[in-house]
Amino acid sequence: MNGMKQTFTLSTTRSENVSICSYFNPHGSGSEIWDPLQSHGTLSQKGAQYGDPARVTRPGEGLGVGLNVKERLGAGVTSQIQMSLVWTMGEVKFRSAANTHERYYTRWFPGS
């Protein structure tokens, strides 16, 4: 997958008590994601929707994202939180990189 164009999306059906971190260095110490969670129970709220520039990675560069939903439950109470991870990778190159396979949906969504 290294060197192939990919797009990932994390989502939840919840709209309250949701925090996100649109990018962090997955090769770092983890403090970018864990320190805010430990100190106040939410993620750092970094990303384009908070005035930060959008992140596009360079070939070979890693990028981590986080989604947190916070809910307080009483004793004996249960809850369900729906989350989803979706990705697209329209072109797939196999080990030799001699052959490139285009996914079927790219007929309708060019450049995916």
Side-chain angles (χ1 to χ4, degrees):
M1 291 180 30
N2 193 13
M4 290 185 266
K5 184 179 174 184
Q6 306 160 52
T7 303
F8 295 88
T9 301
L10 287 171
S11 67
T12 181
T13 56
R14 300 288 177 102
S15 59
E16 295 180 5
N17 299 317
V18 175
S19 62
I20 62 169
C21 179
S22 294
Y23 56 86
F24 68 90
N25 179 1
H27 305 294
S29 67
S31 63
E32 290 177 88
I33 194 109
W34 293 114
D35 288 353
L37 270 174
Q38 182 179 16
S39 63
H40 47 84
T42 61
L43 297 176
S44 63
Q45 304 286 65
K46 292 193 310 188
Q49 64 275 31
Y50 301 104
D52 294 336
R55 288 291 316 256
V56 176
T57 59
R58 295 182 301 274
E61 179 184 19
L63 179 72
V65 299
L67 173 66
N68 176 55
V69 179
K70 190 175 178 178
E71 184 165 23
R72 186 176 302 271
L73 300 175
V77 177
T78 62
S79 178
Q80 291 186 3
I81 299 173
Q82 294 181 355
M83 294 185 174
S84 65
L85 167 63
V86 180
W87 67 91
T88 179
M89 187 170 55
E91 265 188 10
V92 180
K93 294 179 185 175
F94 294 98
R95 178 170 266 163
S96 68
N99 296 324
T100 299
H101 172 72
E102 287 191 356
R103 302 272 183 184
Y104 187 75
Y105 64 83
T106 60
R107 295 177 186 180
W108 292 276
F109 303 99
S112 295

